[in-house]
Amino acid sequence: MARLRTGLFVAGLLLAPLAAGGCIQPWVTERMEEKYLHQNDYRTPIMPPIREGFPPPLCVDEPSEQEVLRAMPHVKNGVPFFYEEFRDDIEIVCEKLVDKIDPPRFFPLVGPAQLHHCHWKCTIYYTETVQSSMPYPVYLKKRRVEVVYIDKDHLHAYVGCDPDAQKSAAKDLSGP
């Protein structure tokens, strides 16, 4: 949290001279928020080991709407009244493409682990609205489809085939 405040403070200092002239567009702060608030989107979590005798874990957590919308290309930055673009009536359909677990191998800074591949295809249906008021009013609406591929890969710690070691590792990784 302190890192976020520091980053926003420094960005504010750098952008203050531009704000005095009225040159800052509203999308600038949105891009700054994306950069600092969603840092964990691309980090790989480490899960407890896969236990012998139990069914292998499945990829059941599909990407959230926020993750899918952040993965989409941004709306073009417009100038108010000259050119503005909006997305309305958004519908998201996710389908699982890959659910596969690799054999154990060594990962630096993690140790022996198994990579669990979870790949999703997300189809976004939306209405694109382009609006302009100058030099003459224009209002265009088109139905669009966008496809985004999201990987939600994660690691499962590997401790071997010893059931006691698997149980203790599962307790250590799941917390108190």
Side-chain angles (χ1 to χ4, degrees):
M1 194 64 176
R3 182 184 231 178
L4 173 64
R5 274 193 233 126
T6 305
L8 291 175
F9 177 74
V10 170
L13 288 177
L14 294 174
L15 297 174
L18 295 175
C23 297
I24 300 261
Q25 294 293 327
W27 53 265
V28 173
T29 55
E30 291 172 9
R31 298 297 186 267
M32 289 170 50
E33 284 179 6
E34 285 177 12
K35 183 177 180 181
Y36 291 107
L37 291 181
H38 307 292
Q39 293 178 343
N40 289 335
D41 277 357
Y42 304 103
R43 294 187 179 169
T44 305
I46 302 170
M47 306 295 285
I50 300 169
R51 296 177 59 185
E52 289 290 324
F54 288 88
L58 300 173
C59 296
V60 292
D61 56 334
E62 66 181 36
S64 66
E65 288 185 7
Q66 293 83 10
E67 287 176 296
V68 173
L69 293 176
R70 281 195 302 268
M72 277 183 72
H74 294 296
V75 175
K76 293 183 183 107
N77 300 330
V79 177
F81 302 111
F82 286 104
Y83 177 85
E84 295 179 276
E85 188 175 315
F86 307 99
R87 291 179 180 150
D88 299 316
D89 305 325
I90 297 172
E91 181 184 341
I92 300 171
V93 178
C94 295
E95 59 183 286
K96 188 178 0 177
L97 296 178
V98 176
D99 186 357
K100 181 180 89 169
I101 301 174
D102 287 348
R105 71 180 188 98
F106 184 82
F107 289 89
L109 301 176
V110 175
Q114 293 176 284
L115 181 60
H116 191 166
H117 298 277
C118 297
H119 298 203
W120 296 86
K121 175 185 175 185
C122 303
T123 308
I124 304 114
Y125 302 93
Y126 64 95
T127 304
E128 178 186 63
T129 306
V130 176
Q131 179 177 331
S132 176
S133 298
M134 298 239 187
Y136 51 89
V138 175
Y139 189 77
L140 301 171
K141 274 189 156 184
K142 280 188 179 178
R143 195 71 182 147
R144 298 280 190 186
V145 177
E146 188 91 31
V147 177
V148 175
Y149 294 94
I150 296 180
D151 296 343
K152 294 191 65 135
D153 297 349
H154 54 274
L155 294 172
H156 290 279
Y158 184 76
V159 292
C161 296
D162 182 25
D164 295 330
Q166 290 178 352
K167 287 180 185 176
S168 67
K171 288 178 186 174
D172 291 343
L173 288 173
S174 62

